[in-house]
Amino acid sequence: MIPLEDFICFTPFKVDPCETIEIKRYRSSKTGLTAVHADIDGPLVSGFLSLGTKVTNDEGYPHTLEHLVFLGSEKYPYKGALDLLAPRAYAPGTNAWTDIDHTCYTITTAGSDGFLQLLPIYVDHILYPTLTEEGFCTEIHHIDQNGADAGVVYCEMQSRENSMVDIMQRKLQHMIYPPETGYQHEAGGLIDCIRSLKIESIRDYHSEYYRPDNLIIVITGKMDQAQLLSTLRQIDKSILSRTHHSQLMTASIQKPWMPLPVIPNMESSSIETVYFPSESSSLCEITAFLDIQAIHILNSYLVDTPIAPLNKLFVEHNSPYCTELDFRVAERSRLAMTLGFQNVPIEKADEIVPMLIPALNEIYYNQQIDMQRMKILIEKERLKVRSSSSFNTSLYGEIGNDDFIDALQQAKYLRKLANFSRKEWLALLKRTYLDVNYAAIIGKPSQELLEQIMEDETIRLDKQRISLGIDDIVVDHVQLQSMDNSKSQIPSRIMENFPIPSVSSISSIDVSTAVNPYYLKQATNSNDIQLHINNDGDMNDIPYFIQYDQISSAFITLSVYMNTSHIPSHLRPYGRIYMDMIFASPLLKDGKYISHSEVVQKLDSDIISYDATLGYQAAFREYIVVTIKVEASKYKSGVDWLQHLMWDTQFTHKRLVVAINKTLNDIPQAKQNGKLVKAIHTDITKSTEASCSYLYQDTFLPRVLKQLEINPDKVIQDINEYRSILCQAENLRIHVMGNILNIDNPKSAFQPWKEYQSKVKALPPVVRSRDVLGPYGLRPGYCTNIIILPSTESSFSVHSTKGPQDYDSEEIPSLLVLFELLHAMEGIYTRMVRGLGLAYKCWLTHLTEAGLITLFILRSSNILNAYDNIKLVTHQLVQGDVSFNKYALEGAKSSVIFDIADSEGTKEVAASQSFINKVLRQSDRQKVDFFRKVQDVTMDDIQKVLLKYIVPLFDPATSNHVIVTSHLKAEEMVQSLDRKGHSPSIIRLEEIYALNIFQPPV
């Protein structure tokens, strides 16, 4: 521990397996303000500003306060000041979360200069917010012009309160935690309580918990320590200058969670059933609580991969008990373990808990711990760098002692676990799972509860409208509008005193690229990597497209992008089954049959991680992508595994039934999230993404199951035909990333693959989303649909129109800057929607691959009012009645630049982007040039793209609209949309493909 004037610097230490990440800790001797810095390579700097907060009721104090913090501070008493300044620091904005024992505010910037500029302003907002009555009305709760309840927080919690997950979590907290612990209540607030909440209570809560000695700032990224200390001293000085702070520091106040709350053992085990509103009657969810000290490795052993003991018992069945189970650890004053069973068939709901403990007992008494698999799991965990949080240690302990250091030394403990004997693992299993009582919650859907909630809400709103009277409602609405219109504007001097750092201050990750020289036109790189590839055997030896990206890493990641455009339409839906089965099926390798359990065990031994997905993130989802990650020393083994998985997998009747039933049980819960609305744009006969969606699989998989009963050979023949077309060598584009220069045989390792293609074949064109669009995707217009989602009390909507299709379009920089001007936290759209409490969030996206622009409105209490407000302000922008100022334009440009830096924020992501840009986007765009084009965007450019691409979103003739809402609001929406020329239809999710509503005529 080293005193540095007014700050104490604790001894630095290193974490992660390679000991490359250094942790530094600082604490003010005057205010108690604490900071922790983790020195991590990359262009981004992230901050997590966390305070211990306690919940003693369901009023939602910590959550509502979290929202109000962003509405201005003593030094910056301007709504949105923080989010107007954030883009000038190369940040996309600010955010926060509320948990049951802490509240955390976040910020991420490109480069450290902007971060250090913004940090004092952020702390000022946290410690000294304005907390006004006006802010409370718009952000927390008010009554709208229709006499209905609104407000950003109200909308958010209304959408969550009656969900299956929230109902079960609240019940669980009441069962396992005594009231005095502070863990029993809903930190977000229940809507009945929010309706009666007052601003004075939130101010009192802030005074109690938002103290500098209860604030810890955790920073990750590259940063000069002298500059960090200088900024911390600036913050400290500002705190000490407040008269109320000096009074506060004289009082002796303990941290919220000190001393630690006592959580006693449960006196007995118990099982309770709760109900959630839903029309679906096929599935439920189960959560079993085990009050334990948890070991992550033991959890992984029990549930990870298809051969894990509990996975085999509950999931790997022709008739599974659930589709997924997972352990979650709640790190409170005492660890709590939750074992969750997702998507349980309702007829099996009451069977699961009685099976669980006997199954664990059987493992214990029969000593069924596979020590070889356990060692493999420990080694895999050792190779992963887990992001360890400093929050819990600071909440329940002291950052200056050894406990803080020990909490981050995962690698050290894994080395000790590697020496555990079978006896020690069994003792841990008994102590952790068998010698304790548990509480179990069974959540079941209820049509009756759904109807009751709808009826109760209708009655409550009618009473509220009568009680308030039409005159009071109108007056309140006018006052609300005037509150928003009279907000103080942030003075220009503050903006000018917050200069935007130079783009040169943003570091970048170097990625060098080479390609397999077999495709000579592509092999134009002149670097050490290309030379290394060229020297590995004959230049024309391996007839596959392979791109190599060099980054500093101890691992190699291999991905095969498989073009699905040549799959016949009747086989296309098999893509989901293929992805689900590729890593969990038998192999026929060199004439030897290897069972699926042996395959899984060998994969665990050789491979760190593996996955099969559609596309890369949200893009290029007409490709199936098979990815594996291995230690660099196992590169050849990784290449061989890909070969065997693609060409030697055996699709059997038993494994097909298991995979199909698992997916079928996933579907009802997937429907509950309401996000399955892409079907409006795509042609199901052409699109792999659409045909693999849960929505279409709901109609396809039952037919396959029936066919498996009648003629299983036909199904196996179909999926083998699917695989044979998919894995034709010309359909494959291979990506290898890692330290290529350290691999002896980067190209010749693929020599065995010549068995499947011995000579050159032309690569087919890259397939993109626009190639599979249906009539409404190709020509948006006159398509407005209201989808009923019974489980929701709020609404969300998706509105689409045409956009640029060329990745190198000169309009894209202007369009991206316009998006930021509109949907940033203090953007014009956000102020008209979130600022008036009409919805939780709205944002715009542009998918160049599809040539579509989309507006989303999320968690809205009045979705049509939100949409109308956005439409109104758009036309005001066109007519010049509303305009952007130069500071907003500068901030929007900086936000776009951050997004680009963020898209290449880690070495692995930067290497992946290299492949996407060069191979799939086939773009000539250079990052430096794009930065310049963004900075060159003018107001005239903004007006042009606004008129060309955004205005059509509000014309029924040039846009498509999907609104997801409840029964209660659907008919009213139809009438309102009819009056506006939309001709809407009400449909159910299951009707979209069953009736082929959006598909072209045959």
Side-chain angles (χ1 to χ4, degrees), residues 556-804:
I556 299 290
T557 301
L558 301 107
S559 299
V560 181
Y561 285 71
M562 311 162 92
N563 188 325
T564 65
S565 61
H566 293 94
I567 302 288
S569 59
H570 73 284
L571 294 177
R572 196 174 293 282
Y574 279 103
R576 180 170 284 277
I577 297 175
Y578 176 81
M579 289 184 287
D580 288 343
M581 293 187 67
I582 187 171
F583 294 110
S585 294
L587 291 178
L588 190 61
K589 180 181 173 185
D590 301 325
K592 180 184 176 183
Y593 185 86
I594 304 172
S595 70
H596 88 276
S597 59
E598 289 179 277
V599 168
V600 172
Q601 190 145 5
K602 289 177 184 293
L603 280 169
D604 279 344
S605 177
D606 292 343
I607 296 175
I608 295 169
S609 62
Y610 48 86
D611 199 11
T613 62
L614 286 177
Y616 178 76
Q617 297 177 350
F620 297 99
R621 294 175 66 83
E622 297 305 313
Y623 283 83
I624 286 178
V625 185
V626 178
T627 299
I628 63 173
K629 185 175 184 178
V630 296
E631 291 178 83
S633 61
K634 294 185 177 181
Y635 171 70
K636 180 62 168 68
S637 175
V639 174
D640 291 344
W641 264 115
L642 278 177
Q643 174 190 336
H644 298 312
L645 291 166
M646 288 193 298
W647 287 293
D648 297 335
T649 297
Q650 302 299 296
F651 300 106
T652 65
H653 178 277
K654 181 178 180 180
R655 297 304 301 163
L656 279 164
V657 172
V658 169
I660 291 169
N661 277 318
K662 182 177 181 298
T663 301
L664 283 172
N665 283 350
D666 280 333
I667 289 172
Q669 181 58 29
K671 286 181 180 178
Q672 296 295 319
N673 67 27
K675 295 178 182 177
L676 308 174
V677 293
K678 278 192 176 180
I680 192 172
H681 293 133
T682 51
D683 182 344
I684 193 66
T685 66
K686 297 178 181 178
S687 172
T688 292
E689 180 181 15
S691 63
C692 290
S693 69
Y694 281 122
L695 210 53
Y696 188 76
Q697 293 287 305
D698 196 23
T699 66
F700 172 71
L701 291 180
R703 299 200 301 266
V704 178
L705 267 185
K706 188 173 182 180
Q707 183 74 6
L708 278 169
E709 293 175 5
I710 300 168
N711 186 1
D713 290 343
K714 178 63 170 67
V715 175
I716 293 171
Q717 178 185 332
D718 283 349
I719 195 165
N720 277 322
E721 184 183 355
Y722 179 95
R723 188 255 306 274
S724 69
I725 299 170
L726 182 70
C727 295
Q728 287 173 1
E730 61 269 24
N731 287 333
L732 310 180
R733 286 171 165 89
I734 303 161
H735 185 213
V736 182
M737 63 177 174
N739 197 336
I740 310 299
L741 289 173
N742 281 1
I743 302 173
D744 293 333
N745 55 345
K747 179 164 67 76
S748 59
F750 287 90
Q751 190 75 231
W753 290 37
K754 290 177 67 176
E755 175 185 346
Y756 311 99
Q757 175 166 300
S758 58
K759 58 183 180 180
V760 66
K761 290 188 179 180
L763 292 173
V766 172
V767 59
R768 294 177 174 145
S769 297
R770 64 174 172 267
D771 300 322
V772 299
L773 292 177
Y776 292 108
L778 291 168
R779 293 172 297 279
Y782 298 113
C783 182
T784 300
N785 292 277
I786 297 171
I787 297 179
I788 302 295
L789 189 66
S791 61
T792 187
E793 290 184 55
S794 64
S795 309
F796 80 86
S797 61
V798 183
H799 314 267
S800 303
T801 191
K802 298 196 77 169

Side-chain angles (χ1 to χ4, degrees), residues 83-192:
D83 285 302
L84 286 169
L85 292 171
R88 301 177 72 82
Y90 292 124
T94 52
N95 211 334
W97 74 75
T98 303
D99 204 343
I100 200 168
D101 59 1
H102 73 277
T103 303
C104 184
Y105 298 86
T106 64
I107 181 74
T108 298
T109 65
S112 63
D113 291 356
F115 181 91
L116 293 173
Q117 250 187 303
L118 191 64
L119 186 60
I121 301 171
Y122 208 164
V123 173
D124 196 69
H125 277 72
I126 292 170
L127 295 181
Y128 309 107
T130 51
L131 301 182
T132 65
E133 185 74 48
E134 294 82 2
F136 177 90
C137 287
T138 57
E139 193 72 15
I140 310 303
H141 176 255
H142 65 269
I143 308 296
D144 70 13
Q145 73 269 32
N146 299 313
D149 298 274
V152 176
V153 170
Y154 190 87
C155 290
E156 179 185 357
M157 298 313 297
Q158 185 184 48
S159 71
R160 283 179 41 194
E161 186 164 310
N162 287 310
S163 70
M164 174 176 62
V165 172
D166 280 58
I167 289 173
M168 294 179 68
Q169 183 61 36
R170 289 197 300 272
K171 182 65 175 178
L172 185 62
Q173 287 171 194
H174 278 266
M175 289 178 71
I176 66 178
Y177 295 123
E180 63 273 12
T181 61
Y183 298 131
Q184 195 178 86
H185 296 281
E186 171 57 70
L190 298 180
I191 56 176
D192 276 348

Side-chain angles (χ1 to χ4, degrees), residues 11 22 84 104 119 230 358 445 455 466 472 484 515-516 560 575 658 673 707 755 773 782 875 931:
T11 305
E22 185 170 64
L84 286 169
C104 184
L119 186 60
S230 174
E455 181 182 344
I466 293 170
D472 286 345
D484 188 66
V515 297
N516 176 13
V560 181
V658 169
N673 67 27
Q707 183 74 6
E755 175 185 346
L773 292 177
Y782 298 113
H875 288 296
F931 279 176

